[in-house]
Amino acid sequence: MSTSNLQALIFDVDGTIADTEHAHLAAFNHAFAEDGLDWFWDEAQYTQLLEISGGKERLLHYWRAQHPDMQAIEANALNDRIERLHLLKTAAYEAAVQRGEVLIRPGVLNLMHEAQAAGIQLAIATTTSPVNIAALLRVAMGDDWRWNFSAIQDASTAAIKKPHPQVYLQMLNDLNLDASACLAIEDSSNGLRAARAAHIATVITTNSFTAHHDFTGALAVLPDLAGVNLSQLQTMHALIGA
Ligand code: XBP
Ligand code: MG
């Protein structure tokens, strides 16, 4: 019976550590109104737009697809408008997190504590902005939240978003670990593809925005981490190496 050599759990943020995307959606719509745009994304539209990782990339994709008339503005002005919209959106999202409107998903903190007690490193690999990670985890884990994580890769360190594996490849380098010693926990097809492209085994926890995604290649697809303990993950992880 092979034993698990699991040395690090690498968590995605949005949709995995917390149910964030409803708050991101509300923040985008708040930013559109604040900036005088008559745009409004409903849940169905946002579910599709989530196929584009990265808030700025998502805005640019929507702008090009839905408002070709606005193509006339030159590239710098377009980028400046997207930067401004994203700043407004990020401020609105942070305010929502601070009001307690974003919940950590079930089982996440328990699993993190179990892993730490077993000497397994925790890490974060996300396409969201660093301010969003800090806002969320400061509320959930306290002001010294950062000390729980050996490494963080986010939108500020990895410009190329999931499904590109850049966040995960840079994470393996940060941890100085082989992919075979790690397990990624994700919620989306983009996240799964990014982790798998870095040869990292991946457990999926679905949510209302991603349950319909193709999770081919996942080690397991779970509704959430409630009741999932470290030894169960280690057993699944060991089977890969069997
Ligand atoms: C999900 C994303 C992010 C968020 C919005 O990231 O794609 O873009 O939707 O956050 P994760 P930003 O990899 O954690 O699932 O506006 O900061 O990008
Ligand atoms: Mg995610």
Side-chain angles (χ1 to χ4, degrees), residues 12 14-16 186-188:
D12 165 53
D14 293 300
T16 301
E186 273 281 356
D187 72 307
S188 69

Side-chain angles (χ1 to χ4, degrees), residues 15-16 19 105-106 185-189 203-213 215 220-225:
T16 301
D19 269 319
R105 296 196 68 187
I185 302 178
E186 273 281 356
D187 72 307
S188 69
S189 169
V203 168
I204 291 291
T205 53
T206 61
N207 55 62
S208 59
F209 285 108
T210 65
H212 63 290
H213 284 189
F215 293 123
V221 179
L222 308 171
D224 56 38
L225 290 175

Side-chain angles (χ1 to χ4, degrees), residues 65-116:
Q66 302 293 323
H67 298 275
D69 53 300
M70 296 176 85
Q71 292 303 306
I73 66 174
E74 56 93 26
N76 288 338
L78 179 63
N79 286 331
D80 289 351
R81 189 72 182 273
I82 284 177
E83 283 293 330
R84 186 166 77 242
L85 280 170
H86 198 251
L87 279 173
L88 292 171
K89 174 263 174 183
T90 299
Y93 174 78
E94 272 192 271
V97 170
Q98 273 138 24
R99 289 194 301 268
E101 293 174 15
V102 179
L103 300 178
I104 300 297
R105 296 196 68 187
V108 167
L109 294 178
N110 287 346
L111 180 62
M112 285 182 175
H113 294 148
E114 243 199 306
Q116 286 175 305

Side-chain angles (χ1 to χ4, degrees), residues 156-228:
S156 70
T157 57
I160 314 171
K161 301 294 185 334
K162 302 171 183 176
H164 189 284
Q166 189 178 46
V167 278
Y168 282 108
L169 292 171
Q170 291 179 178
M171 176 53 70
L172 292 174
N173 190 50
D174 289 348
L175 295 172
N176 192 27
L177 288 175
D178 185 82
S180 62
C182 301
L183 186 66
I185 302 178
E186 273 281 356
D187 72 307
S188 69
S189 169
N190 276 353
L192 173 62
R193 288 159 58 201
R196 294 303 296 136
H199 307 295
I200 300 171
T202 305
V203 168
I204 291 291
T205 53
T206 61
N207 55 62
S208 59
F209 285 108
T210 65
H212 63 290
H213 284 189
D214 175 6
F215 293 123
T216 304
L219 191 57
V221 179
L222 308 171
D224 56 38
L225 290 175
V228 174

Side-chain angles (χ1 to χ4, degrees), residues 12 14 21 24 54-55 58 86 89 126-129 132 162:
D12 165 53
D14 293 300
E21 294 294 355
H24 280 303
R58 195 169 302 142
H86 198 251
K89 174 263 174 183
T126 174
T127 56
T128 195
S129 315
N132 291 347
K162 302 171 183 176

